[in-house]
Amino acid sequence: MATSSNPSSWREGMSSDNIKGLVLALSSSFFIGASFIVKKKGLKKAGASGIRAGSGGYSYLYEPLWWVGMITMIVGEIANFAAYAFAPALLVTPLGALSIIISAALAHIILRERLHIFGVLGCALCVVGSTTIVLHAPQEREIGSVTEVWDLAMEPAFLFYAALVITAAFVLIFHFIPLYGQTHIMVYIGVCSLVGSLSVMSVKALGIAIKLTLSGMNQLIYPQTWVFTLVVTVCVLTQMNYLNKALDTFNTAVVSPIYYVMFTTLTIVASVIMFKDWDRQSPTQVITEICGFVAILSGTFLLHRTKDMTDGHGLQSSSSIRLPKHSEEDGFDGGEGIPLRRQETSRSP
């Protein structure tokens, strides 16, 4: 039965809870996208008078502008937190593409990090892909207690995923970051994304517990609620630390899309494993969602690739020497083009 292509199936997918989650997720993207820029300004200002976050410093904690950005991000994360309580991760997470567009546009205007016309096209692809996923998102799973979420988290498939993520995060933190943290953007972003996929699952569990508690079914009496709270706290603090290092070391318009792609991919994988989102959908819906996600991946790749392009000059050779991110702080008037791997400038210009 081809009910998945029916308009009625779309209306069923956009239940009242899904609509609430959609509105909250959109609001969250606006706040988070703007917070990247405000935090970046604070990090640069703090780095001018102290040790940069990318070099292990924490002088940004004394910078008011960084705290304004942090508060803005917290507001966005609270809205995002609430969105997960009402809608499935497959609907909420892809809408983070909107924060990429806001972040890239503001970086172009405020931070002078150039955004080529093809970068605009990449942003458009992100919007199209996100819209496709939203229109075919599954309904929220009916859950009556936080213990039900705990049982889902204790299933062998998700336990294996969680163990794999934690192991990979530790390897990156203790082996790869000391060696490649300053030259390979994927190292910092990898830690943020891996830990982030676990934090989203815990955030969703905690959000469901709070929603049920507010509706009269107290979930605070269950120890599982507090375990999920602890996991959320540890994961968010870890993400914040390594995201600060990535933002301070690499361009915002590059950090944002790469972080989004990795974080969204891993979150969707975690949600499919834990909440079995695709079990409640037809193959047509699943394939459409995958196509939407591929459109987002294409958009973010295009946005990143065109960071090395300037109007009228085309794409620079990938072998050309680029100044480090902080060259402007040292008195150089260099370009802002930063690739996935920042090359060593062993030769003087």
Side-chain angles (χ1 to χ4, degrees):
M1 297 175 66
T3 56
S4 60
S5 59
N6 243 319
S8 61
S9 67
W10 177 84
R11 286 194 296 269
E12 290 173 3
M14 294 301 290
S15 63
S16 60
D17 275 356
N18 276 21
I19 291 173
K20 291 175 185 176
L22 175 62
V23 172
L24 287 166
L26 288 172
S27 303
S28 169
S29 294
F30 277 108
F31 283 109
I32 292 175
S35 74
F36 271 104
I37 306 305
V38 181
K39 286 176 66 179
K40 183 64 175 287
K41 292 283 285 185
L43 287 168
K44 293 178 73 173
K45 190 174 179 181
S49 58
I51 301 176
R52 300 193 309 265
S55 300
Y58 294 91
S59 58
Y60 60 85
L61 293 175
Y62 301 97
E63 175 55 50
L65 191 58
W66 182 86
W67 282 106
V68 171
M70 194 67 233
I71 292 171
T72 304
M73 176 171 277
I74 290 172
V75 171
E77 292 296 349
I78 290 173
N80 199 48
F81 175 94
Y84 281 112
F86 291 98
L90 279 175
L91 188 154
V92 175
T93 307
L95 290 177
L98 182 58
S99 68
I100 296 177
I101 298 170
I102 295 170
S103 180
L106 291 178
H108 177 76
I109 297 169
I110 298 174
L111 300 179
R112 302 287 189 255
E113 296 179 359
R114 294 185 297 273
L115 182 63
H116 192 270
I117 185 63
F118 288 131
V120 177
L121 178 59
C123 291
L125 282 173
C126 290
V127 172
V128 171
S130 296
T131 303
T132 301
I133 292 177
V134 166
L135 294 179
H136 295 83
Q139 284 189 322
E140 172 70 330
R141 186 189 187 108
E142 292 293 333
I143 294 178
S145 171
V146 72
T147 57
E148 292 182 33
V149 184
W150 180 263
D151 291 339
L152 292 172
M154 290 297 104
E155 291 190 1
F158 187 76
L159 286 176
F160 175 76
Y161 173 80
L164 198 63
V165 164
I166 293 171
T167 301
F170 273 110
V171 170
L172 286 173
I173 291 171
F174 294 107
H175 178 70
F176 286 99
I177 283 180
L179 297 175
Y180 307 110
Q182 295 295 304
T183 57
H184 292 65
I185 192 173
M186 301 300 289
V187 180
Y188 286 141
I189 299 302
V191 174
C192 294
S193 302
L194 287 165
V195 174
S197 68
L198 295 182
S199 71
V200 168
M201 297 303 100
S202 299
V203 161
K204 185 167 182 61
L206 190 56
I208 290 172
I210 293 174
K211 183 176 74 170
L212 291 173
T213 299
L214 293 176
S215 66
M217 294 179 285
N218 187 11
Q219 302 296 302
L220 302 181
I221 60 175
Y222 297 110
Q224 291 91 337
T225 300
W226 301 106
V227 173
F228 283 127
T229 302
L230 178 62
V231 173
V232 169
T233 303
V234 172
C235 289
V236 168
L237 289 175
T238 303
Q239 283 179 268
M240 184 177 68
N241 182 41
Y242 289 102
L243 183 58
N244 281 333
K245 294 179 185 294
L247 284 170
D248 192 50
T249 308
F250 303 95
N251 279 358
T252 307
V254 176
V255 171
S256 299
I258 295 175
Y259 175 51
Y260 169 77
V261 169
M262 292 188 66
F263 171 73
T264 304
T265 301
L266 291 170
T267 298
I268 288 176
V269 170
S271 182
V272 168
I273 293 173
M274 181 171 170
F275 290 97
K276 302 175 177 60
D277 293 320
W278 284 348
D279 289 357
R280 307 189 299 279
Q281 293 190 285
S282 69
T284 302
Q285 290 174 307
V286 172
I287 292 172
T288 303
E289 288 172 5
I290 293 175
C291 289
F293 189 58
V294 169
I296 296 175
L297 292 179
S298 302
T300 51
F301 172 79
L302 186 60
L303 185 60
H304 162 68
R305 187 60 176 158
T306 54
K307 272 298 293 174
D308 294 329
M309 296 181 71
T310 56
D311 293 328
H313 291 86
L315 186 63
Q316 298 174 352
S317 170
S318 59
S319 61
S320 62
I321 297 176
R322 298 173 175 85
L323 292 173
K325 177 68 183 74
H326 295 283
S327 59
E328 72 276 10
E329 296 176 5
D330 299 326
F332 292 97
D333 188 19
E336 281 280 343
I338 304 296
L340 280 175
R341 300 190 304 167
R342 274 181 33 214
Q343 300 175 9
E344 298 295 333
T345 55
S346 57
R347 292 173 293 182
S348 299

